[in-house]
Amino acid sequence: MTELAKHKQIELDLLKKLKDGTYPPQTLIPREVDLMAHYQVSRPTVRQAIQSLVDQGWLEKRKRRGTMVKARKIAQAFTQVIEGYNDEMQSKGLKPQTKVLLFQAETATAEVAEQLGLTVGAPVYKLVRLRYANQQPIVLLTSYLPGTALVDPATVDFTQMSLYATLKQAGLDVTRVRRRLDVLTADETTADLLNVATGAPLFYFHTQGLTAAEVPVEYSIAKYRGDVNTFVMDLKRED
Amino acid sequence: MTELAKHKQIELDLLKKLKDGTYPPQTLIPREVDLMAHYQVSRPTVRQAIQSLVDQGWLEKRKRRGTMVKARKIAQAFTQVIEGYNDEMQSKGLKPQTKVLLFQAETATAEVAEQLGLTVGAPVYKLVRLRYANQQPIVLLTSYLPGTALVDPATVDFTQMSLYATLKQAGLDVTRVRRRLDVLTADETTADLLNVATGAPLFYFHTQGLTAAEVPVEYSIAKYRGDVNTFVMDLKRED
């Protein structure tokens, strides 16, 4: 076996351990000296194997700490984002949780009024939620609903109920969403809530939810952590 | 007319001028004192009108310079991104331009080999392009092609020819793309090329282009400026 084959062989063995959970996300892998002893190879060989896995996004080097297994991103299909958060996370084997940070009556700003088809100053509800997967914050979500949308908001427990299920019960089933995607960096408050560094990149969605009769009943602003979320799509060319 | 109505009226007049191009993107609007004289109102009234347009994303305040008209974002439909860049920009009334920064033969890294269905070290072409709309850089695009994909790469002028048109001429028509979207912040080099600040948020696409026979013939990495691009989608709920 040549030296070149060795680093590749170690890389594949480490990769297997990353995939099967021997080295779980956000833990350190063994130190270089321990890997040298285990595989009976030189330091450059171990380093080459590790560097390749760093380049592929599996590992990251942390100053003075060692080499850490990166958090696996949650891959979400763009065509599935209209599904409920809980269903989506559970289908991926992740434990969802929702905290309601705020739920109150307000008056519509120009932006909210336009998106909900209301006049400026009309009554609306504002619902701010922080959603988790496996105890890790994933998305900060601010939703506006027409003040007429819900019969008795005080009775709705949004830590358990999905917004779309609640709207459906009120006879306002969302069947279509218009969504715009931007990117932004986390300000201090957002960073604190999402447990990322200030300035970390985020996905920034604006969503308008419509009923079958094209009545807007939801306007939401979502900030998804960039480090743990990824969105995938499969597009066929139209001729 | 009450003071409340006045600031709203000024806001709407300014908005009209923003929309009709009287105040073009990336120029300063008149100073507060000039707007006060023009509309015959107090400073707080002018400020209230301006603040509302700042909140709506039309204007931004620049230290010591004044109030600037923000660059309008280029809205792109997710379902259209498989279209050629030139067609897409022209359909929006924007003048497209492409600079080829690099086009050379290389050997496939593990990542490129996996995406193109090749063995590590196999010959590939690397094509790095910077694409513009109306003289403004929009996206930095690095594409890898199998070394066998093009008959004579030296003869292809990628400032004029689209990659997909070139592949089609070589009998490798891309009919489906698998795309992954992440976000990242601009490093120094990327920031310089895209004319944004270091740390500015970017869309980060990875795309695998496949022929009808499911043969991968393209692997591309695209960094879109977050400040001038936005992506829109319209999703119907599936029952």
Side-chain angles (χ1 to χ4, degrees):
Chain A
M1 193 167 81
T2 68
E3 192 73 4
L4 181 75
K6 263 188 205 163
H7 77 76
K8 191 72 198 169
Q9 196 169 319
I10 294 167
E11 178 190 326
L12 292 176
D13 190 62
L14 292 173
L15 184 59
K16 191 177 135 288
K17 288 172 176 165
L18 290 166
K19 287 186 176 173
D20 72 14
T22 306
Y23 302 147
Q26 301 191 296
T27 64
L28 298 174
I29 63 166
R31 294 173 306 155
E32 281 179 10
V33 286
D34 297 329
L35 293 172
M36 285 160 64
H38 177 73
Y39 292 113
Q40 290 291 302
V41 295
S42 66
R43 191 180 290 270
T45 304
V46 164
R47 287 201 171 156
Q48 204 173 347
I50 289 173
Q51 189 56 50
S52 179
L53 292 166
V54 168
D55 293 344
Q56 291 168 55
W58 286 93
L59 299 174
E60 68 185 328
K61 290 182 177 156
R62 293 290 179 90
K63 269 182 197 153
R64 286 183 296 278
R65 296 188 58 194
T67 304
M68 178 160 286
V69 182
K70 280 177 84 168
R72 204 78 64 78
K73 288 198 173 185
I74 303 169
Q76 297 173 64
F78 267 113
T79 48
Q80 286 171 4
V81 277
I82 198 171
E83 299 300 319
Y85 181 82
N86 288 356
D87 293 345
E88 199 179 318
M89 290 301 139
Q90 272 158 358
S91 75
K92 293 181 203 308
L94 298 167
K95 191 174 158 284
Q97 196 197 340
T98 299
K99 283 189 191 166
V100 175
L101 305 188
L102 198 76
F103 184 31
Q104 66 189 24
E106 287 196 359
T107 54
T109 61
E111 177 191 354
V112 170
E114 189 186 337
Q115 292 293 326
L116 289 178
L118 304 172
T119 53
V120 175
V124 294
Y125 291 111
K126 180 162 84 175
L127 171 63
V128 183
R129 290 173 290 175
L130 186 56
R131 310 196 104 170
Y132 297 76
N134 288 0
Q135 272 91 56
Q136 189 175 47
I138 299 299
V139 55
L140 178 63
L141 189 59
T142 300
S143 303
Y144 295 92
L145 314 171
T148 53
L150 299 167
V151 183
D152 186 357
T155 65
V156 183
D157 177 6
F158 281 113
T159 64
Q160 301 301 323
M161 277 291 275
S162 96
L163 177 56
Y164 287 170
T166 307
L167 285 169
K168 189 173 182 174
Q169 284 189 357
L172 300 168
D173 198 8
V174 172
T175 59
R176 191 158 78 81
V177 297
R178 288 197 192 123
R179 188 162 279 171
R180 197 177 88 226
L181 174 58
D182 295 276
V183 288
L184 88 167
T185 51
D187 60 28
E188 199 176 318
T189 305
T190 307
D192 282 349
L193 290 170
L194 288 175
N195 198 23
V196 294
T198 303
L202 307 174
F203 294 93
Y204 189 35
F205 285 97
H206 288 77
T207 301
Q208 185 190 38
L210 304 152
T211 65
E214 299 280 304
V215 177
V217 292
E218 173 220 6
Y219 175 53
S220 293
I221 299 159
K223 295 173 181 169
Y224 280 84
R225 278 173 62 167
D227 60 338
V228 296
N229 292 286
T230 188
F231 290 90
V232 293
M233 57 202 111
D234 199 319
L235 300 170
K236 279 206 162 58
R237 177 177 237 166
E238 290 174 29
D239 282 315
Chain B
M1 192 168 77
T2 68
E3 191 74 2
L4 181 75
K6 264 190 206 161
H7 76 77
K8 192 72 196 167
Q9 197 169 319
I10 294 167
E11 177 189 327
L12 292 176
D13 190 61
L14 292 174
L15 184 58
K16 190 176 134 290
K17 288 174 176 164
L18 290 166
K19 286 186 176 172
D20 71 14
T22 306
Y23 302 148
Q26 299 191 295
T27 64
L28 297 174
I29 64 166
R31 293 174 307 155
E32 280 179 12
V33 286
D34 297 329
L35 292 173
M36 285 159 64
H38 176 75
Y39 293 113
Q40 290 290 305
V41 295
S42 67
R43 191 180 290 271
T45 304
V46 165
R47 288 203 170 154
Q48 203 174 346
I50 289 174
Q51 188 57 48
S52 179
L53 293 166
V54 168
D55 293 343
Q56 291 169 54
W58 286 93
L59 298 174
E60 66 183 328
K61 291 183 178 155
R62 293 290 179 90
K63 269 184 197 150
R64 285 182 297 279
R65 295 188 59 194
T67 303
M68 176 160 288
V69 183
K70 280 178 84 169
R72 204 77 66 78
K73 288 198 174 186
I74 304 169
Q76 297 172 64
F78 267 110
T79 48
Q80 284 169 7
V81 278
I82 198 170
E83 299 300 320
Y85 181 83
N86 289 356
D87 293 344
E88 198 178 319
M89 290 301 139
Q90 271 157 0
S91 75
K92 292 177 203 311
L94 299 167
K95 190 172 158 285
Q97 196 198 341
T98 299
K99 284 189 191 164
V100 175
L101 306 187
L102 197 76
F103 184 30
Q104 65 187 27
E106 287 196 0
T107 54
T109 61
E111 178 191 353
V112 170
E114 189 187 336
Q115 293 292 326
L116 290 178
L118 303 172
T119 53
V120 176
V124 294
Y125 291 113
K126 181 162 85 176
L127 170 64
V128 183
R129 289 173 291 174
L130 187 55
R131 311 195 104 170
Y132 296 75
N134 288 358
Q135 273 92 52
Q136 190 175 48
I138 299 297
V139 55
L140 178 64
L141 190 58
T142 301
S143 303
Y144 295 92
L145 314 171
T148 52
L150 299 167
V151 184
D152 187 357
T155 66
V156 184
D157 177 7
F158 281 113
T159 63
Q160 301 302 323
M161 278 290 276
S162 95
L163 178 56
Y164 286 170
T166 308
L167 286 170
K168 190 173 183 174
Q169 284 189 356
L172 299 168
D173 197 10
V174 172
T175 59
R176 191 159 77 82
V177 297
R178 289 197 192 122
R179 189 162 279 172
R180 199 178 86 225
L181 174 59
D182 295 277
V183 289
L184 88 169
T185 51
D187 60 29
E188 200 178 317
T189 305
T190 306
D192 283 349
L193 290 170
L194 288 174
N195 199 22
V196 295
T198 303
L202 307 174
F203 295 93
Y204 189 34
F205 285 97
H206 287 78
T207 301
Q208 185 190 37
L210 303 154
T211 65
E214 300 280 304
V215 178
V217 292
E218 174 221 6
Y219 176 53
S220 293
I221 299 158
K223 294 172 183 171
Y224 280 83
R225 277 172 61 166
D227 61 337
V228 295
N229 293 286
T230 188
F231 290 89
V232 293
M233 58 202 110
D234 200 318
L235 299 169
K236 278 205 160 60
R237 180 176 236 165
E238 291 173 27
D239 280 315

